[in-house]
Amino acid sequence: MENFDAFLPYLGWIIGGGFTLGALGILASFQTTRMKIKNGYPLEGMWGQSLKPGSDKETAHRVTLLTQENAELRAELGAMKDRLVNVERIVTDGGYHLGAEIDALRDRAMSGLKDKGEA
């Protein structure tokens, strides 16, 4: 009984705080729903089912455009992969290394000639 008497002066604040938190939760829920409607997101029910299916003409057109863009990007990615395969083949080809070795020998020969000319 003594513990309850210690809470009694604060009981109004505790109840008021509970009501305030409840009201803020409800307002936040309203705001979230308003923002979903404003930005075109589908609304969901309590168990995740769709309340407003988005099957209008604008959405269908948007899906068609995105599908076409996706196909174009996939084709471009395929072309880039082919190019990369060709570049890798050129770089790892033996002729490329041979050319680098010839250049290295030429550089060594030129530096050797300069050393002999200075002596």
Side-chain angles (χ1 to χ4, degrees), residues 69-87:
E69 182 181 9
N70 191 13
E72 291 172 3
L73 290 174
R74 284 181 183 269
E76 186 176 347
L77 181 63
M80 290 297 208
K81 284 182 180 179
D82 292 340
R83 288 181 185 176
L84 183 62
V85 167
N86 287 333
V87 169

Side-chain angles (χ1 to χ4, degrees), residues 88-102:
E88 287 175 348
R89 185 180 48 80
I90 291 170
V91 169
T92 58
D93 193 17
Y96 180 78
H97 294 297
L98 182 61
E101 290 176 14
I102 291 172

Side-chain angles (χ1 to χ4, degrees), residues 31-75:
Q31 178 67 11
T32 302
T33 303
R34 188 178 78 79
M35 293 300 287
K36 283 183 178 182
I37 292 170
K38 178 182 175 187
N39 293 310
Y41 288 98
L43 298 178
E44 297 174 351
M46 183 181 245
W47 300 103
Q49 76 275 17
S50 180
L51 294 179
K52 179 189 143 202
S55 62
D56 57 348
K57 290 181 181 180
E58 181 180 337
T59 304
H61 182 65
R62 186 178 302 165
V63 168
T64 304
L65 290 176
L66 288 173
T67 304
Q68 290 173 353
E69 182 181 9
N70 191 13
E72 291 172 3
L73 290 174
R74 284 181 183 269

